[in-house]
């Protein structure tokens, strides 16, 4: 009685059983992440259809293990059947407003795995800097990064991120946001951005990508050909948000083009023209795409399997947008209530937790089009010194 | 123009982070409209690139004159030394330590630190070979502790061949060394340069503090020491150590070890006497006073775990509920305990002041306790429990006075009309109409410290440093004499949502805004200029 250990028979093995092979594959939107975990006297079994489910199950198993005051590890008899409610559970990091060293990204991927996130939305370039080292256009990062020697992601870095993520069942979806949010592309790609005019003269400043030049589409084709081969996921995020029309309006050649096309004064039509061509290019490269909601709001023609990313929270209730997007038959991703960069005092995690993504007016078929959501950590006020405690 | 700017940025090595707060075109919706920086990003970058050295001084000195003429420094040869005629000499440990520390800050990452000959093809600029520090007071203060009346003024002349830093006491030398280190900059080729300059500087307010809360969350020693370093970068000179509170009692008391044995979060989440001594000395070497706060009679739940019968038992319908309220003010044992406890505190903490708290006392438990009610009756307090609170506090103030310590208290003690000693300092923390409170406190002849607009634990999205920077402490109705009684302020980082994982990025550089407000002249208010200097300063602090 005295020498009897307080715990039952020690468990020595967790047996893992997977039905489908696929250790060398990349996760995708349809990957199966379900698993069963049974911990009972004498045997512990983790079974899943796919390896992705095993990863989720291992995380859960590790959370079940406790340690008593003597230092003994123990686990309770347990039975778990688990699967995700939504297949797209993402996190956005912004490496343009502030460069994030590789270790910060890898650390984030670790914590994502602890929380069963499965999509890393890499908002890799934007106005302030272009850290992505392109093999086709090396000048882009050479001229556009904060520091071309130190504040860049080499091809090897990108491969490291993709593999590190894959090993954790996380998809990497890069975002090359155009035609707005592209100031940093300008120095390395002369002629890409629209020159703005003041009175009759170029003012020396630049605006969004120039949608009226053939060279623009040649460039976009080459760049996205590279991006499509570097990033294995089927989806690319193409951005398409917050396009400021002032520069286009100021440019006489663009004004002439608008007249020629019969667009009147509706620059949304010009934006749509660009986006449509971009989508065609990306499609022809065999990729699917995610776009910010403006692309949908501005009536751009998109493929039926386009995913619309809902992010605007101030002007209209995002719920209405979710309803509109799904009613039009598109898949939707929700981010609007999850802009975690907008910090506030106290336990604001509760607001994020209380969000019910399907709380909008729509049929069950509509609601089925919501594939998930993403927490966004925009980088205006975030760098490696405060990323981790702000995000988690 | 944009291409050129990009190229310049590309060339700029050594600038590890260009804060993207500079660049906020096309903001992700989150920042309010006022946040949008007009104009394209690259023009802002050019500002950082072409930054003149004094564009990174923080806080801004009172009087500053720089010339475009530059001097070179060779890490292998440059020295910080005691000047002839200084009352401090190499035996002054505090300055020796500072010399080494500031050399490290300036040249730490340079590989050219070994002594060597000046190369033939050197730069045209003359070499600055040393900075001489001259302390003028007969007793420089090397072995003493800083206090409210310490002199922190300094005069810095940077000219060839030697720079001279004159200060009355060592505390001014510490401030001057920080400023000198901010003047030294590297050019594109890695050469260390400093502009010929003359600076006359002194703090506007004598009490410039940071409050850290180690009760809501334990802060490991390293966290506290890192914070003291950051404070020195910003010329803060008071660490208000809110060391214990309701949640935990990490202070290991010599007389009453049970207090932390039972009251700390766990046996290893404590501050031993050695830890406390380390903090005090680390602070002293940076010219920072450590003022501990042992807040009573409220905020004392954790005290009751290790000290039986200290807290008031609460009652419900004549029965003890099992829970406890503030310190029991009616028992002699309470005052016996406090007498002994504060004897220890007075000897452990060398500063002339102790913060005694006195805030947010909840009367409901006292009201529920029959014995307390009887006592109220006996004393003729009626149903005014503020009188009971004052009765208690006055006792404590007397006890602490008897140990020759001055007292700082939160504003409620004053508001509830306790009898205070004339040199008591009142800390104003309630945000609502604090200007009015400052008038009342100083109008009654007491010194005041302002914390109300600077509760930095209240984080918000965006550049909230501007809000802290824009506070003008003397903006309250009062005479000149009254305004002199506002001795300074404190930036408070309460610990409900703060621990070692997020303390540093939450506190800095936001607290820097408060630092300049308390040091620099009243008319240093230009937010654009502050932004330029603060972004450089922040990168340097990293």
């Amino acid at each position: 009685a005295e020498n009897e250990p307080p715990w039952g028979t020690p468990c020595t093995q967790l047996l893992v059983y997977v039905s489908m092979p696929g250790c060398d594959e990349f996760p995708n939107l349809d990957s199966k992440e379900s698993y069963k975990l049974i911990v009972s006297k004498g045997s512990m079994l983790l079974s899943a259809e796919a390896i992705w489910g095993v990863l989720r199950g291992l995380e859960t198993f590790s959370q079940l293990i406790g340690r008593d005051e003597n230092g003994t590890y123990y686990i309770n008899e347990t039975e778990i059947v688990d699967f995700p409610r939504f297949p797209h559970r993402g996190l956005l990091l912004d490496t343009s407003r502030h460069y994030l060293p590789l270790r910060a990204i890898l650390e984030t991927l670790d914590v994502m795995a602890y929380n069963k996130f499965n999509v890393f939305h890499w908002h890799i370039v934007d106005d302030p800097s272009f850290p992505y080292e392109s093999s086709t256009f090396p000048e882009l990062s050479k001229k556009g990064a904060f520091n071309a020697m130190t504040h860049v992601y080499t091809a090897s870095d990108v491969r490291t991120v993709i593999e590190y993520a894959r090993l954790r069942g996380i998809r990497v979806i890069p975002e090359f946001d155009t035609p707005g949010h592209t100031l940093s592309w300008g120095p390395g790609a002369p002629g890409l951005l629209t020159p703005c005019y003041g009175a009759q003269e170029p003012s020396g400043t630049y605006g969004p990508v120039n949608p009226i030049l053939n060279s623009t589409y040649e460039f976009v084709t080459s760049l996205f050909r590279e991006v499509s081969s570097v990033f294995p996921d089927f989806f690319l995020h193409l951005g398409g948000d917050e396009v400021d029309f002032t520069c286009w309006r100021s440019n006489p050649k663009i004004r002439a083009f608008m007249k020629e096309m019969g667009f009147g004064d509706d620059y949304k039509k010009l934006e749509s023209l660009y986006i449509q061509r971009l989508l065609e290019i990306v499609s022809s490269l065999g990729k699917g795409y995610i776009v910010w909601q403006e692309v949908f709001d501005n009536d751009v023609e998109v493929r039926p399997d386009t995913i619309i990313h809902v992010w605007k929270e101030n002007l209209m209730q995002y719920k209405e947008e979710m309803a509109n997007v799904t009613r039009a038959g598109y898949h939707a991703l929700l981010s609007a209530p999850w802009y975690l960069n907008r910090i506030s005092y106290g336990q604001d995690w509760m607001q994020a937790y209380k969000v019910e993504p399907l709380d909008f007016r729509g049929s069950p078929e509509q609601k089925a089009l919501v594939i998930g959501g993403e927490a966004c950590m925009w980088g205006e006020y975030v760098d490696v010194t405060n990323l981790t405690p702000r995000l988690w | 123009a944009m291409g050129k700017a990009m190229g310049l940025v590309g060339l700029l090595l050594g600038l590890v982070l260009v804060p993207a707060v500079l660049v906020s075109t096309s903001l992700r919706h989150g920042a309010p409209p006022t946040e949008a920086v007009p104009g394209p990003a690259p023009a802002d970058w050019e500002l950082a690139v072409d930054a003149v050295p004094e564009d990174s001084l923080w806080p801004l000195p009172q009087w500053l004159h720089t010339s475009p003429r530059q001097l070179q420094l060779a890490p292998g040869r440059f020295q910080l030394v005691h000047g002839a005629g200084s009352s401090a000499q190499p035996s002054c440990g505090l300055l020796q330590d500072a010399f080494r520390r500031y050399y490290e800050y300036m040249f730490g990452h340079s590989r050219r630190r070994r002594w060597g000959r000046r190369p033939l093809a050197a730069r045209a600029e003359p070499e600055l070979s040393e900075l001489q520090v001259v302390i003028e007071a007969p007793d420089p203060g090397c072995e003493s502790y800083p206090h409210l009346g310490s002199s922190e003024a300094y005069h810095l002349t940077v000219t060839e061949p030697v720079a001279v830093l004159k200060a009355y006491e060592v505390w001014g030398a510490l401030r001057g060394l920080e400023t000198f280190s901010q003047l030294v900059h590297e050019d594109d080729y890695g050469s260390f340069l400093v502009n010929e300059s003359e600076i006359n500087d002194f703090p506007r307010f004598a009490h410039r503090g940071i409050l850290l809360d180690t009760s809501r969350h334990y802060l490991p020693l390293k966290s506290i020491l890192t914070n003291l370093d950051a404070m020195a970068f910003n010329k803060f000179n008071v660490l208000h150590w809110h060391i214990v509170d309701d949640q935990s009692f990490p202070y290991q008391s010599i007389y009453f070890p049970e207090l932390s044995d039972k009251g700390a979060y766990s046996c290893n989440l404590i501050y031993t006497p050695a830890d406390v001594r380390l903090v005090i000395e680390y602070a002293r070497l940076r010219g920072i006073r450590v003022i501990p706060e042992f807040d009573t009679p409220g905020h004392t739940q954790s005290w009751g775990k290790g000290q039986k019968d200290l807290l008031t038992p609460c009652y419900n319908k004549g029965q003890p509920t099992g829970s406890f309220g503030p310190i029991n003010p009616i028992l002699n044992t309470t005052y016996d305990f406090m007498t002994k406890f504060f004897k220890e505190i007075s000897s452990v903490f060398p500063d002339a002041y102790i913060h005694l708290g006195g805030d947010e006392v909840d009367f409901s438990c006292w009201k529920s306790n029959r014995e307390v009610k009887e006592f109220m009756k006996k004393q003729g307090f009626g149903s005014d429990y503020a009188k009971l609170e004052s009765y208690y506090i006055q006792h404590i103030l007397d006890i602490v006075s008897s140990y020759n310590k001055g007292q700082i208290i939160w504003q409620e003690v004053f508001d509830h009309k306790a009898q205070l000693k004339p040199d008591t300092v009142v800390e104003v923390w309630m945000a609502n109409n604090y200007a009015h409170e400052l008038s009342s406190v100083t109008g009654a002849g007491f010194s005041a410290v302002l914390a109300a607009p600077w509760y930095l634990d209240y984080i918000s999205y965006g550049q909230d440093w501007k809000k802290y920077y824009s506070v003008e402490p003397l903006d309250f109705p009062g005479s000149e004499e009254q305004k002199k009684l506002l001795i300074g302020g404190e930036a408070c980082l309460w610990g409900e949502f703060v621990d070692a994982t997020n303390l540093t990025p939450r506190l800095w550089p936001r607290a820097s805004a408060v630092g300049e407000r308390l040091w620099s002249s009243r008319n240093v208010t230009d937010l654009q200029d502050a932004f330029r200097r603060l972004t450089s300063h922040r990168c340097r602090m990293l």
Side-chain angles (χ1 to χ4, degrees), chain B residues 400-420:
Chain B
V400 172
S401 271
S402 74
Y403 296 125
N404 280 324
K405 293 290 190 182
Q407 302 107 42
I408 313 185
I409 37 95
W410 295 110
Q411 67 180 76
E412 285 97 316
V413 177
F414 168 81
D415 295 341
H416 296 168
K417 308 202 192 341
Q419 269 214 0
L420 308 174

Side-chain angles (χ1 to χ4, degrees), chain B residues 314 319-324:
Chain B
C314 312
Q319 291 298 315
T321 63
S323 62
F324 299 87

